[in-house]
Amino acid sequence: MEQKKLTAIKEILESLINIMGLDGRATLTGEPGGGVLVNIESQEAGYLIGRNGDNLRAFQQIVRLLVGKKIEEAPRLTIDVNNYQQERLAMLKDAA
């Protein structure tokens, strides 16, 4: 993944979080297959996650649309807040 694209994605994310009036820092990591995993560290994670992750899914969709408009051949994005999705997935695996 090009560093230029990663920097642009991070700027889009952090400016959107700022516009929302929340604090948060984004960390981006490449995923197999060319995707990007974004983890947002925030003290106000509850607002970003919402009930049952509803806000997080909506936020992810908005970010994907913004990134798709700003970056040619934008990578597939997965957004997580304070590792919420990873912990939820591990919990589901344990329950199964």
Side-chain angles (χ1 to χ4, degrees), residues 32-77:
V36 175
L37 173 64
V38 178
N39 188 43
I40 300 170
E41 295 291 328
S42 176
Q43 296 295 323
E44 300 170 305
Y47 295 113
L48 287 169
I49 296 170
R51 177 178 275 169
N52 297 320
D54 290 341
N55 292 359
L56 180 55
R57 282 189 294 280
F59 182 70
Q60 180 170 269
Q61 185 63 27
I62 290 168
V63 171
R64 283 179 178 167
L65 291 170
L66 287 172
V67 167
K69 291 207 177 269
K70 299 270 183 184
I71 299 173
E72 279 188 39
E73 298 180 31
R76 174 84 173 153
L77 293 176

